[in-house]
Amino acid sequence: MKKLLGIILSVFVLSSCASWKLENLSKYNSTNLNKFVVYTENTNNYEYLLDIENIEKNLRVYLEEKLGLELNDEIITLAILPLDNEVIDFEKQKSTATSSPSKQVILLADFYHVSDDISALYGEPPKDILITAFTHELTHCLTLWQNKFGFSGKMEESFAVFTSYIDFRDEKYRCFTTNSDLQDDIKANYTEERIESLLSNNLENIETKKTMELEIFIAYLHLTGKYDYIKELLFCKNMKAFITKVNWSIADTEDFIDWIKRAQI
């Protein structure tokens, strides 16, 4: 399924909504929730409505109370659409999940109701892919443009990738147990060579452009309860500034690397 649909979580592009035809959402079934207006062709998608509400509630609490972020509070338009639809060309968009924080709109491809031909060719979609994609885009809609994240704009996307690793359907904020995204990314990004380099530089040369190293580091801080460090990291100019700000030590880096090695087993 990933081979067909490409990158599941969107790379955030501000101009991406220019070709959307949101007026055509009226052609789809709709239902109102507390914080959403949901559009979908297949009413079986209504089974996700409770998950959607719980994720919004728990993610909002997490972002506000644990991280102290300022959040948008507008009603969000959420559309779960067929691959072939009258609102967005997912193939041209080169993404199957996207959002416009300025318009408070989230558009997701309906992974669970694709044609039999596509399923036979590419297999069934990963379990919970709709939930992880929704969490990613919801993070963008809640946090932009209220917060001026650091790392030259990279943090906006990295933070949303991090939240997609975490199951916000309840208040335990655990890593998903139904998919291996985080573990796969750890194995792919933290090779022995990279581990040695990061140890020798106390994480100062953590890669923020072409890898998932930063996203995984945020996940580590979350899963080990280091919320104050996440708060500082989100707004620092770069990794060097973070290290100086929180007085990050070699011992801290060694703890992180130990966590990485345990996660790879």
Side-chain angles (χ1 to χ4, degrees), residues 227-265:
Y227 303 120
D228 287 343
Y229 282 1
I230 297 177
K231 290 185 205 178
E232 297 295 345
L233 180 66
L234 291 177
F235 299 101
C236 280
K237 180 179 180 181
N238 51 40
M239 202 66 191
K240 182 177 181 180
F242 167 77
I243 290 168
T244 301
K245 180 75 173 178
V246 304
N247 196 27
W248 185 268
S249 68
I250 289 294
D252 292 322
T253 294
E254 290 172 345
D255 285 344
F256 171 54
I257 296 303
D258 285 345
W259 179 84
I260 288 291
K261 290 180 176 179
R262 291 195 303 272
Q264 291 178 335
I265 297 175

Side-chain angles (χ1 to χ4, degrees), residues 106-133:
I106 298 172
L107 304 179
L108 306 178
D110 186 354
F111 295 104
Y112 299 118
H113 299 97
V114 297
S115 69
D116 292 339
D117 290 342
I118 290 177
S119 293
L121 189 59
Y122 297 101
E124 293 298 318
K127 184 175 176 60
D128 288 327
I129 191 173
L130 195 67
I131 296 302
T132 59

Side-chain angles (χ1 to χ4, degrees), residues 53-68:
E53 288 197 303
N54 285 338
I55 291 169
E56 192 276 338
K57 177 185 67 176
N58 292 320
L59 181 59
R60 182 178 290 276
V61 169
Y62 178 80
L63 297 176
E64 286 184 323
E65 296 186 5
K66 290 193 178 296
L67 302 185

Side-chain angles (χ1 to χ4, degrees), residues 47-212:
E47 67 186 80
Y48 299 107
L49 296 187
L50 180 59
D51 284 342
I52 287 167
E53 288 197 303
N54 285 338
I55 291 169
E56 192 276 338
K57 177 185 67 176
N58 292 320
L59 181 59
R60 182 178 290 276
V61 169
Y62 178 80
L63 297 176
E64 286 184 323
E65 296 186 5
K66 290 193 178 296
L67 302 185
L69 298 180
E70 297 290 332
L71 304 184
N72 294 315
D73 197 35
E74 301 172 33
I75 298 297
I76 295 172
T77 298
L78 169 64
I80 305 172
L81 300 170
L83 291 176
D84 184 14
N85 65 82
E86 299 181 60
V87 178
I88 180 175
D89 187 333
F90 285 118
E91 184 176 1
K92 186 177 293 185
Q93 182 88 20
K94 296 182 179 179
S95 174
T96 50
T98 189
S99 62
S100 171
S102 61
K103 294 181 178 293
Q104 291 290 283
V105 174
I106 298 172
L107 304 179
L108 306 178
D110 186 354
F111 295 104
Y112 299 118
H113 299 97
V114 297
S115 69
D116 292 339
D117 290 342
I118 290 177
S119 293
L121 189 59
Y122 297 101
E124 293 298 318
K127 184 175 176 60
D128 288 327
I129 191 173
L130 195 67
I131 296 302
T132 59
F134 168 69
T135 303
H136 178 113
E137 302 304 340
L138 178 61
T139 300
H140 282 318
C141 285
L142 290 180
T143 61
L144 299 177
W145 306 103
Q146 305 289 70
N147 305 277
K148 295 182 179 180
F149 294 124
F151 283 77
S152 301
K154 165 66 176 175
M155 186 58 72
E156 295 160 356
E157 186 67 13
S158 295
F159 186 60
V161 171
F162 147 67
T163 59
S164 72
Y165 288 143
I166 307 303
D167 190 346
F168 285 97
R169 287 176 290 191
D170 61 42
E171 65 279 3
K172 296 178 181 177
Y173 311 135
R174 295 170 296 191
C175 184
F176 273 96
T177 58
T178 53
N179 63 55
S180 57
D181 288 351
L182 178 56
Q183 189 174 55
D184 288 347
D185 286 344
I186 289 173
K187 290 180 178 179
N189 289 273
Y190 281 90
T191 63
E192 285 296 327
E193 181 181 5
R194 285 301 296 154
I195 287 173
E196 289 179 10
S197 176
L198 292 167
L199 276 171
S200 65
N201 288 277
N202 196 27
L203 293 188
E204 189 171 318
N205 66 336
I206 200 167
E207 174 58 53
T208 62
K209 294 181 180 180
K210 298 180 181 180
T211 75
M212 308 295 285

Side-chain angles (χ1 to χ4, degrees), residues 208-220:
T208 62
K209 294 181 180 180
K210 298 180 181 180
T211 75
M212 308 295 285
E213 290 179 4
L214 182 58
E215 290 84 344
I216 293 166
F217 181 64
I218 301 172
Y220 159 74

